[in-house]
mmCIF file of all heavy atoms in Angstrom:
data_model
loop_
_atom_site.group_PDB
_atom_site.id
_atom_site.type_symbol
_atom_site.label_atom_id
_atom_site.label_comp_id
_atom_site.label_asym_id
_atom_site.label_seq_id
_atom_site.Cartn_x
_atom_site.Cartn_y
_atom_site.Cartn_z
ATOM 1 N N LEU G 1 -11.157 8.016 -12.360
ATOM 2 C CA LEU G 1 -10.268 7.769 -13.480
ATOM 3 C C LEU G 1 -10.327 6.341 -13.964
ATOM 4 O O LEU G 1 -10.354 6.071 -15.171
ATOM 5 C CB LEU G 1 -8.831 8.148 -13.080
ATOM 6 C CG LEU G 1 -8.589 9.623 -12.765
ATOM 7 C CD1 LEU G 1 -7.149 9.843 -12.282
ATOM 8 C CD2 LEU G 1 -8.880 10.496 -13.957
ATOM 9 N N LEU G 2 -10.364 5.417 -13.029
ATOM 10 C CA LEU G 2 -10.396 3.994 -13.401
ATOM 11 C C LEU G 2 -11.694 3.650 -14.117
ATOM 12 O O LEU G 2 -11.696 2.968 -15.143
ATOM 13 C CB LEU G 2 -10.216 3.132 -12.179
ATOM 14 C CG LEU G 2 -10.234 1.609 -12.387
ATOM 15 C CD1 LEU G 2 -9.119 1.193 -13.352
ATOM 16 C CD2 LEU G 2 -10.074 0.881 -11.061
ATOM 17 N N SER G 3 -12.813 4.127 -13.582
ATOM 18 C CA SER G 3 -14.100 3.802 -14.200
ATOM 19 C C SER G 3 -14.221 4.414 -15.597
ATOM 20 O O SER G 3 -14.841 3.835 -16.494
ATOM 21 C CB SER G 3 -15.253 4.306 -13.303
ATOM 22 O OG SER G 3 -15.217 5.700 -13.167
ATOM 23 N N THR G 4 -13.629 5.591 -15.794
ATOM 24 C CA THR G 4 -13.651 6.214 -17.140
ATOM 25 C C THR G 4 -12.938 5.327 -18.143
ATOM 26 O O THR G 4 -13.455 5.079 -19.262
ATOM 27 C CB THR G 4 -12.995 7.596 -17.083
ATOM 28 O OG1 THR G 4 -13.720 8.445 -16.185
ATOM 29 C CG2 THR G 4 -12.971 8.228 -18.474
ATOM 30 N N ALA G 5 -11.763 4.815 -17.767
ATOM 31 C CA ALA G 5 -11.019 3.927 -18.676
ATOM 32 C C ALA G 5 -11.767 2.628 -18.907
ATOM 33 O O ALA G 5 -11.846 2.117 -20.030
ATOM 34 C CB ALA G 5 -9.633 3.651 -18.092
ATOM 35 N N LEU G 6 -12.347 2.062 -17.876
ATOM 36 C CA LEU G 6 -13.074 0.786 -18.007
ATOM 37 C C LEU G 6 -14.306 0.962 -18.894
ATOM 38 O O LEU G 6 -14.653 0.063 -19.668
ATOM 39 C CB LEU G 6 -13.480 0.266 -16.636
ATOM 40 C CG LEU G 6 -12.337 -0.183 -15.714
ATOM 41 C CD1 LEU G 6 -12.871 -0.554 -14.335
ATOM 42 C CD2 LEU G 6 -11.574 -1.357 -16.321
ATOM 43 N N ALA G 7 -14.973 2.099 -18.791
ATOM 44 C CA ALA G 7 -16.157 2.337 -19.625
ATOM 45 C C ALA G 7 -15.797 2.437 -21.107
ATOM 46 O O ALA G 7 -16.596 2.093 -21.979
ATOM 47 C CB ALA G 7 -16.849 3.617 -19.174
ATOM 48 N N LEU G 8 -14.584 2.890 -21.409
ATOM 49 C CA LEU G 8 -14.130 2.991 -22.792
ATOM 50 C C LEU G 8 -13.749 1.639 -23.390
ATOM 51 O O LEU G 8 -13.584 1.517 -24.603
ATOM 52 C CB LEU G 8 -12.936 3.946 -22.887
ATOM 53 C CG LEU G 8 -13.225 5.416 -22.603
ATOM 54 C CD1 LEU G 8 -11.929 6.204 -22.539
ATOM 55 C CD2 LEU G 8 -14.162 5.988 -23.661
ATOM 56 N N HIS G 9 -13.594 0.635 -22.522
ATOM 57 C CA HIS G 9 -13.176 -0.709 -22.969
ATOM 58 C C HIS G 9 -14.152 -1.739 -22.406
ATOM 59 O O HIS G 9 -13.791 -2.499 -21.487
ATOM 60 C CB HIS G 9 -11.751 -0.985 -22.545
ATOM 61 C CG HIS G 9 -10.753 -0.015 -23.091
ATOM 62 N ND1 HIS G 9 -10.179 -0.125 -24.341
ATOM 63 C CD2 HIS G 9 -10.236 1.139 -22.544
ATOM 64 C CE1 HIS G 9 -9.367 0.896 -24.544
ATOM 65 N NE2 HIS G 9 -9.395 1.664 -23.475
ATOM 66 N N PRO G 10 -15.367 -1.787 -22.912
ATOM 67 C CA PRO G 10 -16.414 -2.635 -22.300
ATOM 68 C C PRO G 10 -16.157 -4.122 -22.444
ATOM 69 O O PRO G 10 -16.831 -4.925 -21.768
ATOM 70 C CB PRO G 10 -17.685 -2.208 -23.056
ATOM 71 C CG PRO G 10 -17.187 -1.680 -24.360
ATOM 72 C CD PRO G 10 -15.877 -1.019 -24.058
ATOM 73 N N ASP G 11 -15.205 -4.536 -23.284
ATOM 74 C CA ASP G 11 -14.932 -5.968 -23.447
ATOM 75 C C ASP G 11 -13.903 -6.493 -22.444
ATOM 76 O O ASP G 11 -13.619 -7.697 -22.419
ATOM 77 C CB ASP G 11 -14.417 -6.252 -24.863
ATOM 78 C CG ASP G 11 -15.480 -5.971 -25.907
ATOM 79 O OD1 ASP G 11 -16.683 -6.124 -25.591
ATOM 80 O OD2 ASP G 11 -15.119 -5.613 -27.041
ATOM 81 N N GLU G 12 -13.355 -5.609 -21.643
ATOM 82 C CA GLU G 12 -12.352 -6.025 -20.670
ATOM 83 C C GLU G 12 -12.991 -6.594 -19.409
ATOM 84 O O GLU G 12 -13.983 -6.070 -18.903
ATOM 85 C CB GLU G 12 -11.446 -4.849 -20.294
ATOM 86 C CG GLU G 12 -10.709 -4.209 -21.457
ATOM 87 C CD GLU G 12 -9.563 -5.075 -21.977
ATOM 88 O OE1 GLU G 12 -9.075 -5.920 -21.208
ATOM 89 O OE2 GLU G 12 -9.163 -4.890 -23.136
ATOM 90 N N PHE G 13 -12.417 -7.685 -18.928
ATOM 91 C CA PHE G 13 -12.875 -8.309 -17.683
ATOM 92 C C PHE G 13 -12.022 -7.795 -16.540
ATOM 93 O O PHE G 13 -10.867 -7.390 -16.730
ATOM 94 C CB PHE G 13 -12.743 -9.821 -17.820
ATOM 95 C CG PHE G 13 -13.423 -10.608 -16.719
ATOM 96 C CD1 PHE G 13 -14.799 -10.580 -16.600
ATOM 97 C CD2 PHE G 13 -12.694 -11.347 -15.827
ATOM 98 C CE1 PHE G 13 -15.427 -11.300 -15.596
ATOM 99 C CE2 PHE G 13 -13.309 -12.074 -14.834
ATOM 100 C CZ PHE G 13 -14.681 -12.052 -14.705
ATOM 101 N N ILE G 14 -12.575 -7.787 -15.314
ATOM 102 C CA ILE G 14 -11.915 -7.148 -14.182
ATOM 103 C C ILE G 14 -11.897 -8.123 -12.993
ATOM 104 O O ILE G 14 -12.948 -8.610 -12.572
ATOM 105 C CB ILE G 14 -12.660 -5.877 -13.754
ATOM 106 C CG1 ILE G 14 -12.865 -4.929 -14.974
ATOM 107 C CG2 ILE G 14 -11.927 -5.153 -12.628
ATOM 108 C CD1 ILE G 14 -14.099 -4.069 -14.853
ATOM 109 N N VAL G 15 -10.715 -8.389 -12.493
ATOM 110 C CA VAL G 15 -10.573 -9.156 -11.256
ATOM 111 C C VAL G 15 -9.983 -8.238 -10.189
ATOM 112 O O VAL G 15 -8.892 -7.691 -10.376
ATOM 113 C CB VAL G 15 -9.669 -10.398 -11.432
ATOM 114 C CG1 VAL G 15 -9.397 -11.073 -10.079
ATOM 115 C CG2 VAL G 15 -10.298 -11.398 -12.380
ATOM 116 N N VAL G 16 -10.710 -8.039 -9.090
ATOM 117 C CA VAL G 16 -10.235 -7.207 -7.995
ATOM 118 C C VAL G 16 -9.697 -8.143 -6.919
ATOM 119 O O VAL G 16 -10.445 -8.993 -6.392
ATOM 120 C CB VAL G 16 -11.347 -6.329 -7.434
ATOM 121 C CG1 VAL G 16 -10.791 -5.403 -6.344
ATOM 122 C CG2 VAL G 16 -11.977 -5.485 -8.547
ATOM 123 N N GLU G 17 -8.425 -8.005 -6.600
ATOM 124 C CA GLU G 17 -7.756 -8.916 -5.674
ATOM 125 C C GLU G 17 -7.285 -8.150 -4.438
ATOM 126 O O GLU G 17 -6.524 -7.191 -4.547
ATOM 127 C CB GLU G 17 -6.560 -9.584 -6.378
ATOM 128 C CG GLU G 17 -5.828 -10.609 -5.517
ATOM 129 C CD GLU G 17 -4.751 -11.335 -6.298
ATOM 130 O OE1 GLU G 17 -4.474 -10.952 -7.440
ATOM 131 O OE2 GLU G 17 -4.162 -12.279 -5.728
ATOM 132 N N GLY G 18 -7.739 -8.597 -3.269
ATOM 133 C CA GLY G 18 -7.375 -7.943 -2.021
ATOM 134 C C GLY G 18 -6.177 -8.607 -1.352
ATOM 135 O O GLY G 18 -6.046 -9.842 -1.361
ATOM 136 N N HIS G 19 -5.300 -7.787 -0.740
ATOM 137 C CA HIS G 19 -4.101 -8.285 -0.043
ATOM 138 C C HIS G 19 -3.946 -7.570 1.298
ATOM 139 O O HIS G 19 -4.284 -6.394 1.421
ATOM 140 C CB HIS G 19 -2.843 -8.014 -0.890
ATOM 141 C CG HIS G 19 -2.828 -8.696 -2.217
ATOM 142 N ND1 HIS G 19 -2.294 -9.952 -2.414
ATOM 143 C CD2 HIS G 19 -3.305 -8.296 -3.433
ATOM 144 C CE1 HIS G 19 -2.416 -10.287 -3.696
ATOM 145 N NE2 HIS G 19 -3.036 -9.293 -4.331
ATOM 146 N N THR G 20 -3.409 -8.279 2.268
ATOM 147 C CA THR G 20 -3.043 -7.687 3.553
ATOM 148 C C THR G 20 -1.564 -7.913 3.797
ATOM 149 O O THR G 20 -0.876 -8.545 2.996
ATOM 150 C CB THR G 20 -3.847 -8.335 4.701
ATOM 151 O OG1 THR G 20 -3.451 -9.728 4.817
ATOM 152 C CG2 THR G 20 -5.342 -8.267 4.456
ATOM 153 N N ASP G 21 -1.071 -7.412 4.928
ATOM 154 C CA ASP G 21 0.281 -7.743 5.329
ATOM 155 C C ASP G 21 0.251 -9.035 6.171
ATOM 156 O O ASP G 21 -0.761 -9.719 6.237
ATOM 157 C CB ASP G 21 0.929 -6.577 6.105
ATOM 158 C CG ASP G 21 0.119 -6.183 7.326
ATOM 159 O OD1 ASP G 21 -0.535 -7.062 7.922
ATOM 160 O OD2 ASP G 21 0.139 -4.996 7.702
ATOM 161 N N ASN G 22 1.363 -9.359 6.828
ATOM 162 C CA ASN G 22 1.428 -10.629 7.573
ATOM 163 C C ASN G 22 1.122 -10.471 9.063
ATOM 164 O O ASN G 22 1.306 -11.401 9.855
ATOM 165 C CB ASN G 22 2.817 -11.261 7.421
ATOM 166 C CG ASN G 22 3.912 -10.472 8.117
ATOM 167 O OD1 ASN G 22 3.750 -9.279 8.428
ATOM 168 N ND2 ASN G 22 5.036 -11.114 8.387
ATOM 169 N N GLN G 23 0.688 -9.269 9.468
ATOM 170 C CA GLN G 23 0.448 -9.022 10.883
ATOM 171 C C GLN G 23 -0.899 -9.595 11.325
ATOM 172 O O GLN G 23 -1.872 -9.584 10.552
ATOM 173 C CB GLN G 23 0.469 -7.526 11.156
ATOM 174 C CG GLN G 23 1.796 -6.850 10.825
ATOM 175 C CD GLN G 23 2.937 -7.419 11.667
ATOM 176 O OE1 GLN G 23 2.984 -7.226 12.880
ATOM 177 N NE2 GLN G 23 3.869 -8.128 11.039
ATOM 178 N N PRO G 24 -0.964 -10.139 12.540
ATOM 179 C CA PRO G 24 -2.263 -10.627 13.019
ATOM 180 C C PRO G 24 -3.270 -9.499 13.172
ATOM 181 O O PRO G 24 -2.879 -8.335 13.451
ATOM 182 C CB PRO G 24 -1.937 -11.260 14.384
ATOM 183 C CG PRO G 24 -0.583 -10.762 14.762
ATOM 184 C CD PRO G 24 0.111 -10.328 13.510
ATOM 185 N N LEU G 25 -4.533 -9.798 12.982
ATOM 186 C CA LEU G 25 -5.568 -8.782 13.108
ATOM 187 C C LEU G 25 -5.700 -8.384 14.572
ATOM 188 O O LEU G 25 -5.461 -9.177 15.494
ATOM 189 C CB LEU G 25 -6.900 -9.331 12.610
ATOM 190 C CG LEU G 25 -7.208 -9.165 11.117
ATOM 191 C CD1 LEU G 25 -6.189 -9.895 10.256
ATOM 192 C CD2 LEU G 25 -8.614 -9.685 10.794
ATOM 193 N N SER G 26 -6.072 -7.131 14.766
ATOM 194 C CA SER G 26 -6.366 -6.657 16.134
ATOM 195 C C SER G 26 -7.637 -7.333 16.636
ATOM 196 O O SER G 26 -8.333 -8.036 15.887
ATOM 197 C CB SER G 26 -6.559 -5.141 16.123
ATOM 198 O OG SER G 26 -7.738 -4.816 15.436
ATOM 199 N N SER G 27 -7.919 -7.166 17.913
ATOM 200 C CA SER G 27 -9.147 -7.754 18.468
ATOM 201 C C SER G 27 -10.375 -7.234 17.727
ATOM 202 O O SER G 27 -11.310 -7.974 17.453
ATOM 203 C CB SER G 27 -9.231 -7.463 19.969
ATOM 204 O OG SER G 27 -9.212 -6.037 20.186
ATOM 205 N N LYS G 28 -10.359 -5.937 17.377
ATOM 206 C CA LYS G 28 -11.458 -5.376 16.579
ATOM 207 C C LYS G 28 -11.548 -6.047 15.223
ATOM 208 O O LYS G 28 -12.640 -6.402 14.766
ATOM 209 C CB LYS G 28 -11.245 -3.866 16.407
ATOM 210 C CG LYS G 28 -12.268 -3.197 15.512
ATOM 211 C CD LYS G 28 -11.927 -1.734 15.263
ATOM 212 C CE LYS G 28 -12.898 -1.100 14.278
ATOM 213 N NZ LYS G 28 -12.559 0.329 14.010
ATOM 214 N N GLY G 29 -10.393 -6.231 14.588
ATOM 215 C CA GLY G 29 -10.401 -6.866 13.282
ATOM 216 C C GLY G 29 -10.867 -8.296 13.331
ATOM 217 O O GLY G 29 -11.611 -8.747 12.436
ATOM 218 N N ARG G 30 -10.482 -9.038 14.355
ATOM 219 C CA ARG G 30 -10.922 -10.415 14.487
ATOM 220 C C ARG G 30 -12.437 -10.511 14.702
ATOM 221 O O ARG G 30 -13.082 -11.419 14.178
ATOM 222 C CB ARG G 30 -10.174 -11.123 15.609
ATOM 223 C CG ARG G 30 -8.704 -11.399 15.300
ATOM 224 C CD ARG G 30 -8.113 -12.378 16.287
ATOM 225 N NE ARG G 30 -8.166 -11.893 17.660
ATOM 226 C CZ ARG G 30 -7.255 -11.107 18.228
ATOM 227 N NH1 ARG G 30 -6.187 -10.729 17.507
ATOM 228 N NH2 ARG G 30 -7.368 -10.701 19.487
ATOM 229 N N ARG G 31 -12.961 -9.585 15.489
ATOM 230 C CA ARG G 31 -14.419 -9.604 15.718
ATOM 231 C C ARG G 31 -15.180 -9.344 14.415
ATOM 232 O O ARG G 31 -16.238 -9.961 14.162
ATOM 233 C CB ARG G 31 -14.805 -8.561 16.761
ATOM 234 C CG ARG G 31 -14.437 -8.934 18.193
ATOM 235 C CD ARG G 31 -15.161 -8.030 19.189
ATOM 236 N NE ARG G 31 -14.883 -6.612 18.980
ATOM 237 C CZ ARG G 31 -13.870 -5.951 19.541
ATOM 238 N NH1 ARG G 31 -13.028 -6.601 20.343
ATOM 239 N NH2 ARG G 31 -13.692 -4.659 19.310
ATOM 240 N N GLN G 32 -14.657 -8.467 13.579
ATOM 241 C CA GLN G 32 -15.367 -8.096 12.346
ATOM 242 C C GLN G 32 -15.143 -9.095 11.222
ATOM 243 O O GLN G 32 -16.080 -9.418 10.467
ATOM 244 C CB GLN G 32 -14.937 -6.707 11.896
ATOM 245 C CG GLN G 32 -15.458 -5.571 12.755
ATOM 246 C CD GLN G 32 -15.062 -4.227 12.180
ATOM 247 O OE1 GLN G 32 -14.126 -3.576 12.682
ATOM 248 N NE2 GLN G 32 -15.744 -3.793 11.130
#
C-alpha cells in the first residue's frame, strides 16, 4: 500500500526513521 502511494507521487522525498524503546539490548542484541 505504501509503495503504491509513493509511486503515484514521484516528487515526494522519503525519510525512514527508526526508533526503539529505552530498554537495554539483550546479549544477543548487543552482539549483533
Side-chain angles (χ1 to χ4, degrees):
L1 296 176
L2 180 59
S3 63
T4 299
L6 293 174
L8 292 172
H9 300 275
D11 295 330
E12 301 287 338
F13 191 67
I14 308 151
V15 172
V16 183
E17 183 175 7
H19 298 268
T20 65
D21 57 31
N22 69 340
Q23 299 298 292
L25 273 61
S26 68
S27 58
K28 175 185 176 181
R30 288 194 300 273
R31 286 195 303 271
Q32 288 183 258

